[in-house]
Amino acid sequence: MASVAKPGCQEKCGNITVPYPFGLDYPDCYRDGYDLTCNHTFNPPKLFISTGNLEILEISPSLTQLRIYGFMGNSCYDRSGSETESWYSWVDLDDLPYTFSDTHNRFTTIGCDTLSEITGSEGRNFTSGCSMACSDKESVINGSCTGIGCCQTSIPKGFKNFNVNVWSYENHTRVWNFNPCSYAFLVDYDWYRFSVEDLSHFYERYGDSLPLVLDWAIENETCETVSRIYPSYACGKNSDCYNSPNGLGYLCNCSQGYQGNPYLEDGCQGNLLDLSSTYMNALQKFDYIYTVVV
């Protein structure tokens, strides 16, 4: 199987494959802005965006998305209503070729005495949130995030930074016996399924980080404005350019009949010659049959 990294460059970090334009260690191994770090102090090693603390869980085989760990915001209280813990969550992708996927992520809030807010910026400014109150555990439905114990809202496309804050109306004093904390986070919609147990044991089940999805593209250009003759053109031979659906820029895909990594110069390989031979052989057989019948 052909390598998906540039020649001489590391292709794996732990169990994660690192395809070009992403790369490790040396500037020649990655496109500008797509540098990653493989931290070998973990066993197995963990992959991070650039030199930051955003851990990568997966680079999609289609080379259009990353799955990373994001952080949650929370506020917790004791029985008397005194706050025992409070965290706000933020992720900053400024100066990086990524944005938060509007199709795969949802802003999610957990709690029965809860007010939450997400504020996005850099590319698109917006504020959204949830407000919930429920008096007992029995009124909450497993798997349902429609506003009773769990709320989910869509996010717009095209923003690079967000902050999450979460508060309580009455410091959970009326619901403390089954819900001492409120939580809010951006999460991969396909990954998270709400359980009533999350009202009391969310942290024990998930910790302080949950997966979310990033879209990426070759930024600041479109297929209409970029040319194959440009030194910065990202698509290799036997590949096609298409504009990214998130509006960031453009992406590359191997042309029909080819497969591989379209961002490598010779990354798209195919069997068009073999297919042509097969087609010609089929025509010759058909011609022979036609001649005999006639």
Side-chain angles (χ1 to χ4, degrees):
M1 184 176 179
S3 173
V4 294
K6 290 186 79 172
C9 296
Q10 185 177 341
E11 188 175 338
K12 285 273 193 178
C13 177
N15 298 321
I16 302 176
T17 299
V18 181
Y20 188 80
F22 304 97
L24 302 163
D25 301 327
Y26 306 107
D28 286 345
C29 289
Y30 53 83
R31 187 180 176 90
D32 187 33
Y34 294 87
D35 54 308
L36 308 179
T37 297
C38 189
N39 190 330
H40 291 273
T41 62
F42 297 96
N43 186 20
K46 291 185 178 183
L47 186 64
F48 294 85
I49 291 178
S50 190
T51 56
N53 64 344
L54 295 177
E55 181 185 351
I56 297 173
L57 303 175
E58 179 187 14
I59 302 176
S60 70
S62 62
L63 286 181
T64 59
Q65 293 174 328
L66 300 181
R67 210 156 171 247
I68 69 167
Y69 269 135
F71 308 106
M72 69 175 183
N74 76 327
S75 59
C76 294
Y77 303 85
D78 62 20
R79 185 183 293 273
S80 67
S82 297
E83 191 172 64
T84 59
E85 185 176 84
S86 179
W87 294 91
Y88 77 94
S89 166
W90 62 276
V91 178
D92 183 357
L93 301 176
D94 199 18
D95 297 325
L96 293 170
Y98 312 106
T99 188
F100 302 99
S101 173
D102 61 301
T103 56
H104 285 78
N105 298 314
R106 295 291 185 273
F107 177 55
T108 303
T109 305
I110 308 297
C112 273
D113 178 17
T114 302
L115 175 67
S116 68
E117 180 181 86
I118 180 171
T119 302
S121 60
E122 293 299 323
R124 183 182 295 271
N125 299 329
F126 77 97
T127 299
S128 183
C130 289
S131 175
M132 292 183 292
C134 38
S135 58
D136 55 72
K137 193 174 182 178
E138 288 67 34
S139 62
V140 182
I141 303 172
N142 258 330
S144 174
C145 261
T146 56
I148 303 176
C150 179
C151 167
Q152 286 189 323
T153 61
S154 299
I155 59 171
K157 66 175 61 179
F159 66 99
K160 286 177 168 285
N161 297 343
F162 74 79
N163 293 285
V164 167
N165 286 286
V166 60
W167 307 274
S168 172
Y169 291 105
E170 298 182 282
N171 293 2
H172 285 253
T173 51
R174 295 179 182 270
V175 296
W176 185 87
N177 61 323
F178 70 93
N179 178 221
C181 300
S182 295
Y183 300 95
F185 45 89
L186 195 63
V187 68
D188 181 351
Y189 178 73
D190 293 326
W191 181 88
Y192 179 68
R193 180 174 175 81
F194 171 68
S195 166
V196 173
E197 292 305 308
D198 292 345
L199 292 172
S200 52
H201 300 292
F202 184 88
Y203 188 85
E204 291 85 348
R205 298 185 71 191
Y206 301 111
D208 59 2
S209 54
L210 298 98
L212 59 86
V213 179
L214 304 182
D215 292 334
W216 66 272
I218 307 300
E219 285 196 292
N220 304 321
E221 295 281 2
T222 66
C223 295
E224 291 73 29
T225 61
V226 75
S227 169
R228 285 185 179 273
I229 65 173
Y230 288 2
S232 62
Y233 185 64
C235 304
K237 298 175 184 176
N238 304 316
S239 69
D240 302 309
C241 174
Y242 68 98
N243 292 325
S244 64
N246 55 33
L248 270 180
Y250 71 93
L251 295 162
C252 309
N253 195 36
C254 287
S255 302
Q256 186 174 358
Y258 294 86
Q259 59 184 358
N261 185 345
Y263 297 94
L264 292 172
E265 180 62 20
D266 295 301
C268 292
Q269 301 293 320
N271 296 312
L272 292 187
L273 183 59
D274 294 339
L275 290 172
S276 177
S277 299
T278 302
Y279 179 69
M280 290 302 296
N281 289 336
L283 283 180
Q284 289 171 359
K285 289 180 181 179
F286 177 81
D287 182 63
Y288 172 76
I289 294 170
Y290 178 80
T291 303
V292 171
V293 171
V294 172

